Amino acid sequence: MQRLNPQRCALLTQVISSHYPNQQILHLTDGCNDLHRTLYDFTKTKNFEYDLRTVGCEIGDLDASCHAGFRLEPLDLSARRFNRHAKLYENIFVTLSAQTLERDIQTVLKKFFRVMKNAGVLTLMIERDSPLLERIDRELEECYFVAISHIDIFDDYDVVTSRKMHGWGAYNVGF
C-alpha cells in the first residue's frame, strides 16, 4: 500500500461539502494507497457515514467501534449493485488500480451513477502512467458525468473529479 502525504489527502477532502449534515460517502479501494485513513478521520469528525468497500484486499487498521457511521465490507465488482439502496451517496471516492477499472469501466461508472444522489461528486485517483488517464474524460461523459476536473495534488496519481448529471437522459440508454 502506497503511503500518501496526509496534508495532501486533507486537501482532497475539500471536494466534500461540509455545509450539509448526515452525508454518506462511499469509498472503493483495492489497497493501492492509504486515503481510507484520511476519509475515516474526516467522516468521524463530521459525523458523516463512511462506507469503505474493499476489492481483493484486507484493511484492518480502522476501528469501527470508534466511528458510528463507519462500515467496512468486501465488494465484488461484478455484483449487480454496489449498495442495497439507490441514490444513497453524495460522494464516491475510487482508489482502485487502473487495471481493475479498465476491465469494464463503463459498467462500473454506470453502477456509480445508480448509487449517487443528483449532483454527487465522483473522485477517481488514477495512476499517472495509466492509459486510462487519456480516455477517462470521454468515459465519464458517456456515462452522464459532467464538470470533469483534473486536480494535481499527488505525485503518482491524477485526481479526476466529476459530478453526476440528473438522470433524465440516462434512462434512455440502459442505465
Side-chain angles (χ1 to χ4, degrees), residues 70-89:
F70 176 67
R71 283 180 296 285
L72 173 63
E73 296 178 16
L75 177 72
D76 178 8
L77 283 176
S78 64
R80 187 168 173 257
R81 295 186 296 171
F82 287 163
N83 71 345
R84 293 172 191 91
H85 311 285
K87 295 179 177 58
L88 180 63
Y89 302 104

Side-chain angles (χ1 to χ4, degrees), residues 25-31 36 50-57 59 70-77 81-85 88-89 93-96 115:
I25 296 170
L26 174 65
H27 180 195
L28 281 71
T29 187
D30 59 6
H36 65 279
Y50 178 39
D51 289 347
L52 177 58
R53 306 292 173 89
T54 58
V55 178
C57 72
I59 294 180
F70 176 67
R71 283 180 296 285
L72 173 63
E73 296 178 16
L75 177 72
D76 178 8
L77 283 176
R81 295 186 296 171
F82 287 163
N83 71 345
R84 293 172 191 91
H85 311 285
L88 180 63
Y89 302 104
F93 288 84
V94 181
T95 55
L96 298 171
V115 300

Side-chain angles (χ1 to χ4, degrees), residues 49-171:
E49 291 183 26
Y50 178 39
D51 289 347
L52 177 58
R53 306 292 173 89
T54 58
V55 178
C57 72
E58 298 266 334
I59 294 180
D61 60 343
L62 304 176
D63 185 6
S65 66
C66 294
H67 185 337
F70 176 67
R71 283 180 296 285
L72 173 63
E73 296 178 16
L75 177 72
D76 178 8
L77 283 176
S78 64
R80 187 168 173 257
R81 295 186 296 171
F82 287 163
N83 71 345
R84 293 172 191 91
H85 311 285
K87 295 179 177 58
L88 180 63
Y89 302 104
E90 284 89 3
N91 290 275
I92 297 179
F93 288 84
V94 181
T95 55
L96 298 171
S97 69
Q99 296 81 13
T100 301
L101 284 173
E102 285 177 332
R103 286 186 202 133
D104 196 0
I105 186 70
Q106 288 281 325
T107 301
V108 171
L109 291 174
K110 287 177 182 181
K111 289 177 186 178
F112 292 157
F113 190 91
R114 284 187 206 124
V115 300
M116 291 181 79
K117 292 182 179 178
N118 287 338
V121 178
L122 174 63
T123 304
L124 300 157
M125 290 182 63
I126 301 174
E127 295 98 343
R128 289 194 185 266
D129 60 351
S130 168
L132 177 61
L133 196 54
E134 296 175 15
R135 65 180 224 270
I136 192 64
D137 291 7
R138 182 176 39 86
E139 299 285 356
L140 287 164
E141 286 174 359
E142 288 176 7
C143 290
Y144 291 92
F145 286 95
V146 297
I148 301 166
S149 299
H150 292 253
I151 304 170
D152 187 15
I153 298 176
F154 301 104
D155 295 333
D156 298 326
Y157 295 97
D158 194 28
V159 178
V160 182
T161 63
S162 59
R163 288 195 172 269
K164 174 187 174 181
M165 187 173 88
H166 54 80
W168 61 266
Y171 300 108

Side-chain angles (χ1 to χ4, degrees), residues 38-58:
T38 300
L39 290 173
Y40 175 88
D41 293 337
F42 178 83
T43 56
K44 181 179 175 184
T45 302
K46 299 286 187 181
N47 292 319
F48 292 167
E49 291 183 26
Y50 178 39
D51 289 347
L52 177 58
R53 306 292 173 89
T54 58
V55 178
C57 72
E58 298 266 334

Side-chain angles (χ1 to χ4, degrees), residues 16-25 47-49 90-91:
I16 303 170
S17 174
S18 296
H19 301 293
Y20 306 106
N22 304 324
Q23 291 191 51
Q24 293 85 21
I25 296 170
N47 292 319
F48 292 167
E49 291 183 26
E90 284 89 3
N91 290 275

